[in-house]
Amino acid sequence: MFRKVFLGCTFFLLLILSAHAQSPDTSATKYTLQQCIQLALKNNPTVQHSQVASETQRANLTGARGNMLPTLNGTIDHGISQG
């Protein structure tokens, strides 16, 4: 008897929770097509990888240009000899 009551209450509770989970959300945000495209591009892993690769290549190019500049090295020495 207890088992039937327990299963009945459990079923009723699950029924209420599932109905609540499927109820329409009145605070849902509506997006325009442009906003959807921007959101998709922002969260797309392929696009994110491409952006990181582009930034890496830009940094490599800056470093390569810096390596083409001339370098200037020099030393100065001062000493006193007493005799």
Side-chain angles (χ1 to χ4, degrees):
M1 180 69 182
F2 175 73
R3 185 175 180 178
K4 288 182 181 181
V5 172
F6 178 73
L7 288 175
C9 290
T10 304
F11 177 74
F12 182 71
L13 182 63
L14 289 175
L15 182 67
I16 290 173
L17 290 175
S18 67
H20 178 69
Q22 295 178 1
S23 65
D25 188 11
T26 58
S27 65
T29 305
K30 293 185 180 182
Y31 293 104
T32 64
L33 178 61
Q34 186 63 31
Q35 289 172 327
C36 291
I37 292 171
Q38 288 174 352
L39 186 62
L41 289 175
K42 176 184 168 192
N43 295 324
N44 188 331
T46 305
V47 173
Q48 291 174 347
H49 175 73
S50 297
Q51 289 174 342
V52 169
S54 175
E55 291 171 6
T56 302
Q57 292 301 323
R58 188 173 294 120
N60 289 341
L61 179 62
T62 302
R65 286 182 179 161
N67 289 336
M68 293 186 340
L69 295 174
T71 58
L72 178 64
N73 295 324
T75 58
I76 297 178
D77 191 14
H78 178 66
I80 298 178
S81 277
Q82 291 182 355

